[in-house]
Amino acid sequence: MIYDWSRKQAEKNGDQIAITLYDENITFRELERESNRLAECLVRAGIKPGDRVGLLMEKTPATIVAMLGIGKAGGVYVPLDMYSPDERLLLIIQAADLHCMFVDHHANDLYHSLVCLQSDLSMMPIVWWSESSCLCEDTTAPLFCRSDLQSANEVPHQVVRDEDHPAHILFTSGSTGQPKGVVITHRNIGTFVNWAVQYFKMQQGERISCHSPFHFDLSTFDIFGAFASGSRLYLVPKEITIHPRKLSEFIDKNRLHQWFSVPSALSYLARFQSIPEGGFPHLKRILWCGEIFPLPSLQYWMRSLPNVEFTNLYGPTEATIASSYYTVHVVPDNSTVVPIGTACDGERLLVLNHSMQPVQIDEVGDLYISGSGLSPGYWRDPSKTNEAFIQHTISDGETERIYKTGDLASVNQLGQILFHGRLDDQIKSRGYRIELGEIEVALGNVQDILREYAVVPVRRGGFEGTSIGCAYVGTGVESEDLAPIIKQILSKKLPAYMIPQFWNSYSKLPRNANGKIDRKALSDRFENEKKSVIAG
């Protein structure tokens, strides 16, 4: 079980610092003690195996204590993005059917905003997870408060010992406007973490970054990879995640050995040439996942840090953190396509044609994944689960369960897999998987000022990677001035990373021979006609 890693560290290296945020430190012994006491409180409060528990909290050591305690009590934690619009958060809370929700002082105002929008949310049991005074006087009394842990028994709970039991549910973008919950088990997480700790030679006492928010699956490896290897986890504060100079100072000051993030974070530093002279002397490895790393950024990093190992990881949320890897040994030239590589242990990647047969060398086909990392499916959505996770016949009637990624890929002469884009309207931007259809659903709320619209990917090259463009036809003569108004409306429906960065106003949208909106033509115009683009 995923909490066993930190439990073993508490037994062997209890006084070692496990997690650091600013000047706050928590040792492995404290982590074990606090999470055991929390599990005791949850069991006494009536939590049952499989109950979902929401985490409406900031990224802090206390939130990780909550993750461990919930797991020990048999629950399933659901990280909630505090910075998503209220309406989208409510959709996720409703879909998850939470048994209770942890709230800390960072989320106090947000919680009350949610209750104002949906009054019956006040009936959901709350755990107040801050040392400060509890919520407000007019709030229903919580199940218990963090201060109540002081009187709880320190019992090493392990209510469920089945690795196929869900550990957490991560919600991702959905094309219908309803976020999808991906169920991830203890075995899923263990498959990747055990491989990665060995492959990257992570060692006791190393210093590991945690840049991604907790609702993003890269953080799952940061947390549990650190615990499995006995490393010290450094939580990157949200307020510095988009400041190149501060990120550079964070890596240097904390003498990090490992950095793992989406490429866009690394591209920010590259764009402003923020690596200090002399580099980061303690850094051993840089890992990235979630989107393509623009070549100019990768070249800058590799030339600046010649002694650091650079590894590209690939994998959708449904396959748990990553399913393949490729370590880049030499600085790529401008014509290089960096492979997504070969499968991690316990995983298998297949590139199949329309007849579900393996493609020839260098032939492009559909990319599928099988193995121990595969999610059981989407939370309470058997239709979508059966559509994405299918049975594939291998030979002699034997079948295996595979996941259709929606990505196009090929296999080169060396057996390495290369990524060739998407089949559908899904993109990766800033590491997030985004269904463009979900943005168009949200645009349906502004139909009174829009005649028609289309949301398309914009690949500008250079350091930026993939962005989002919105082409629209307004209902009035001042349609060119609508972009700020539309953005303001969308910001109440969608998280910031889903708001289009580029806007174009048209008198009519281009059509293809079938009379449908020509999305390829719109993408091309965004990418080529820079002067006509209104930057958001």
Side-chain angles (χ1 to χ4, degrees), residues 425 427 436 454-460 466-471 504 506 510 517-529 533:
D425 291 330
I427 67 166
L436 299 182
V455 179
V456 297
V458 181
R459 299 175 180 88
R460 303 293 293 274
T466 302
S467 299
I468 306 170
C470 178
N504 254 346
Y506 290 84
I517 295 174
D518 193 335
R519 297 173 184 273
K520 175 65 167 59
L522 288 172
S523 286
D524 290 343
R525 292 187 188 184
F526 274 113
E527 292 161 9
N528 298 323
E529 300 175 9
V533 174

Side-chain angles (χ1 to χ4, degrees), residues 204-458:
Q204 184 81 33
E206 284 190 344
R207 295 161 173 251
I208 307 299
S209 71
C210 183
H211 176 269
S212 299
F214 290 158
H215 64 275
F216 197 35
D217 63 350
L218 271 64
S219 68
T220 305
F221 172 53
D222 293 331
I223 296 167
F224 296 104
F227 294 169
S229 61
S231 300
R232 180 173 174 178
L233 186 69
Y234 282 80
L235 302 181
V236 181
K238 183 181 186 301
E239 55 266 28
I240 75 167
T241 55
I242 59 172
H243 293 281
R245 182 181 57 79
K246 292 181 180 180
L247 278 179
S248 179
E249 290 174 353
F250 184 89
I251 296 170
D252 194 35
K253 176 184 176 182
N254 293 306
R255 296 173 290 163
L256 296 185
H257 296 101
Q258 175 175 299
W259 177 270
F260 183 32
S261 73
V262 295
S264 55
L266 296 167
S267 290
Y268 276 126
L269 276 76
R271 184 185 305 171
F272 296 100
Q273 299 188 337
S274 300
I275 298 177
E277 187 175 349
F280 302 115
H282 296 88
L283 200 60
K284 295 181 179 179
R285 66 193 80 93
I286 289 177
L287 326 176
W288 67 91
C289 188
E291 59 190 341
I292 294 173
F293 199 167
L295 279 177
S297 298
L298 178 56
Q299 291 165 342
Y300 168 77
W301 276 92
M302 293 190 71
R303 287 168 181 153
S304 301
L305 305 174
N307 297 319
V308 171
E309 182 179 82
F310 290 82
T311 301
N312 179 25
L313 292 167
Y314 164 86
T317 304
E318 288 85 347
T320 314
I321 307 170
S323 301
S324 71
Y325 68 100
Y326 180 80
T327 296
V328 187
H329 295 291
V330 297
V331 180
D333 60 33
N334 292 334
S335 62
T336 298
V337 176
V338 176
I340 60 175
T342 52
C344 306
D345 287 354
E347 310 278 341
R348 198 159 79 93
L349 273 63
L350 306 88
V351 184
L352 307 176
N353 60 24
H354 294 306
S355 300
M356 300 298 288
Q357 297 300 312
V359 298
Q360 300 297 313
I361 297 296
D362 295 330
E363 179 185 352
V364 176
D366 297 319
L367 181 58
Y368 295 81
I369 300 173
S370 69
S372 301
L374 283 195
S375 161
Y378 300 112
W379 172 247
R380 290 184 176 173
D381 198 334
S383 176
K384 282 191 173 66
T385 298
N386 293 333
E387 182 181 335
F389 297 85
I390 61 177
Q391 293 295 323
H392 174 241
T393 302
I394 308 172
S395 60
D396 300 327
E398 184 181 355
T399 62
E400 65 177 337
R401 184 171 179 261
I402 62 175
Y403 169 70
K404 184 174 183 178
T405 66
D407 291 336
L408 298 172
S410 65
V411 184
N412 65 17
Q413 295 282 351
L414 300 175
Q416 299 162 343
I417 295 175
L418 283 75
F419 175 76
H420 291 279
R422 293 284 305 174
L423 271 171
D424 54 19
D425 291 330
Q426 184 188 112
I427 67 166
K428 290 287 188 74
S429 181
R430 287 177 269 182
Y432 288 93
R433 187 172 73 182
I434 299 170
E435 297 279 1
L436 299 182
E438 183 174 355
I439 303 174
E440 293 191 349
V441 168
L443 283 168
N445 293 286
V446 291
Q447 285 184 338
D448 54 330
I449 59 174
L450 292 181
R451 186 171 291 115
E452 59 179 349
Y453 45 83
V455 179
V456 297
V458 181

Side-chain angles (χ1 to χ4, degrees), residues 19-25 59-61 233-238:
I19 311 170
T20 294
L21 175 64
Y22 293 120
D23 296 327
E24 179 184 359
N25 298 304
K59 186 169 77 172
T60 67
L233 186 69
Y234 282 80
L235 302 181
V236 181
K238 183 181 186 301

